[in-house]
Amino acid sequence: MPGRLSDRRLSRRELLRVGALGTAGLTLPQLLASQAARAADSVNGPAAKADACIILFLNGGPSHLDMWDMKPSGPIEIRGEFNPIASSLEGVQVCEHLPLLAQQMHHTTLIRSMNHSVNNSHAAAVYAALTGHDRGEQGGVAKPDDHPCPGAVLAKLRPTPHGSLPYISLPYKTKEGAAGPLQPGFLAGFMGATYDPFWVLDDPNQPNFHVRNLALPDGLAMDRMNDRRSLLSSLDHGLDLDSNQTLASMNDFQRQAFDLLTSNNAQQAFKLSEEPDSVRDRYGRNIYGQSVLLARRLIEANTRVVTMSWAPHANATWDTHGQNFNKLKNELLPQFDAACSSLIADLAERGMLQRTLVAVLGDFGRTPKINNNAGRDHWNSCYSIMLAGGGIKPGFVLGASDRSGAVPTHSPVSPGDIVATMYRLLGIDHQHLIYDTLNRPHTVVPEARLVPEIMA
């Protein structure tokens, strides 16, 4: 009898270890708890035109003047080194280094009149872009009272089926500078860590890519997993549900964790090796191209929101204060062109684009005038974003900038307006009340307006 009791305790410890695999993020039970929204937070929102969302966040501030809103007739110190080319959207030109994406522009809406109040702090601009809350130049670390991002809000208000991950962020926890803290805008904030993303921080371009948070613990075979499942069921026997609701709920989340660990659907999504080499090559054999391909596979496996941050830290990629044209031409634009064009084309070919919202966002744009380091600096007064699918009007351009790309000449749009419109397309009223961990109500995006012009 003592021996059997010891074995039982060991099994239970291993069971809990299975429920705490998320050393790089949430534990699986915490993550799965996000699918048990409180009745107070239930939502009967507008009819959803999109069921899923992929956010490609060009972290650092992509140059609108060298991508989407070129000024070929302007002076050399503004127009830069690149030439525009025609796109599949009649009358709309894009950069010559985006030839593949140029052929997909008929699926998209370009907005060339974005602006907000943040010009210095990447962190504050990222926070505004991803949450819709512009708090000025307040940067710093992510805080518990931050407003939540779309992935967190959708995880709560439009939970996914069991055996799927509601909100995933990859491939980095982007920092505010190489040695800086995590940028705000990717987390659940006042909603609580339960709704934070499931982080995928391994490089999907590596041949040995696997997701540690979803792998079985070393030495734990599938048949032993089934033993743990039986043990978990036995924990319910004799449980007083009225007095032990928390334990009962945790048991349920542990059971869902088992389902996720053994779910063929969830596990298959991460098996990029099953994609044809031609497809992987088309997206680009680099961490970003393969992350975008993984995002498509995760949406196919019922994930609601995937956010892909294109930088390990704010200054690493799109923050082109120096050598802007060399970096764009030789690295950033070819990688982005391959990945984004392949994503849109694949979603359209598979009949998924209509119900999948793709948002290509950034923290701000770059200065009209080229600096002495052949770079462009931060510019918040006017920049561009691109949206596609999921109820977005195809083949449309909203807004315009002046002859130097410095300020909008009409139809100015804020990040809050875009995030509010994204919520509407995803079936959430941006004025809906959500509750923090102290049960206090908050409006999802209070200071924003919908942008009906871009909705199909």
Side-chain angles (χ1 to χ4, degrees), residues 32 38-40 44 62 70 83 113 129 131 133 173 193 223 258 298 316 338 374 388 396 427 431:
L32 293 163
R38 295 174 300 178
N44 293 311
M70 306 184 75
N83 295 312
S113 52
T131 69
H133 295 266
K173 291 185 175 182
D223 57 345
F258 274 112
L298 289 165
F396 186 66
Q431 295 292 327

Side-chain angles (χ1 to χ4, degrees), residues 147-435:
H147 287 274
C149 59
V153 173
L154 269 293
K156 187 169 189 65
L157 299 183
R158 288 196 66 191
T160 53
H162 290 176
S164 59
L165 293 156
Y167 169 34
I168 294 176
S169 189
L170 73 165
Y172 296 114
K173 291 185 175 182
T174 303
K175 299 177 181 179
E176 182 68 358
L182 172 69
Q183 289 183 333
F186 296 91
L187 303 178
F190 64 67
M191 287 172 53
T194 296
Y195 299 98
D196 281 349
F198 184 88
W199 295 97
V200 176
L201 303 177
D202 296 284
D203 183 354
N205 192 44
Q206 294 300 313
N208 60 346
F209 169 67
H210 68 285
V211 181
R212 287 168 289 178
N213 296 8
L214 284 183
L216 296 179
D218 292 341
L220 188 59
M222 191 59 69
D223 57 345
R224 297 188 68 197
M225 279 288 290
N226 292 329
D227 292 341
R228 304 305 180 267
R229 187 189 300 271
S230 298
L231 172 60
L232 181 61
S233 297
S234 73
L235 295 177
D236 290 337
H237 294 167
L239 188 66
D240 181 350
L241 295 181
D242 290 333
S243 60
N244 293 281
Q245 278 295 336
T246 300
L247 180 58
S249 296
M250 185 52 67
N251 285 344
D252 183 54
F253 299 141
Q254 294 278 8
R255 188 175 293 105
Q256 290 181 46
F258 274 112
D259 292 341
L260 192 54
L261 286 166
T262 58
S263 166
N264 186 62
N265 194 42
Q267 298 293 332
Q268 287 296 114
F270 290 101
K271 293 183 178 180
L272 283 177
S273 60
E274 297 188 355
E275 287 284 342
D277 285 343
S278 59
V279 173
R280 299 193 69 179
D281 292 343
R282 181 159 49 85
Y283 275 80
R285 292 286 188 159
N286 56 77
I287 189 171
Y288 302 112
Q290 298 304 295
S291 292
V292 174
L293 173 56
L294 181 55
R296 191 211 78 202
R297 290 176 61 87
L298 289 165
I299 294 301
E300 290 174 313
N302 294 320
T303 291
R304 186 77 70 198
V305 178
V306 179
T307 299
M308 201 285 284
S309 183
W310 202 292
H313 62 84
N315 313 122
T317 52
W318 299 93
D319 193 31
T320 53
H321 292 281
Q323 298 301 310
N324 172 74
F325 302 98
N326 285 341
K327 197 162 189 179
L328 289 174
K329 176 181 178 179
N330 297 317
E331 178 186 344
L332 295 171
L333 293 184
Q335 291 180 356
F336 172 68
D337 187 43
C340 189
S341 65
S342 295
L343 176 65
I344 294 174
D346 279 2
L347 291 174
E349 182 180 336
R350 293 163 182 251
M352 295 172 60
L353 187 60
Q354 184 176 1
R355 302 293 298 183
T356 304
L357 174 60
V358 178
V360 180
L361 310 176
D363 14 350
F364 31 56
R366 313 305 295 185
T367 50
K369 189 173 182 179
I370 301 166
N371 65 29
N372 293 332
N373 295 315
R376 298 188 192 266
D377 300 315
H378 301 176
W379 193 256
N380 62 314
S381 297
C382 187
Y383 65 101
S384 303
I385 66 169
M386 187 185 79
L387 305 169
I392 289 294
K393 185 182 295 184
F396 186 66
V397 177
L398 177 67
S401 64
D402 66 1
R403 63 185 301 271
S404 64
V407 294
T409 56
H410 64 84
S411 303
V413 180
S414 75
D417 300 337
I418 294 302
V419 175
T421 304
M422 290 171 60
Y423 278 127
R424 172 57 64 93
L425 296 173
L426 288 159
I428 304 294
D429 183 349
H430 71 285
Q431 295 292 327
H432 180 74
L433 293 181
I434 50 177
Y435 293 82

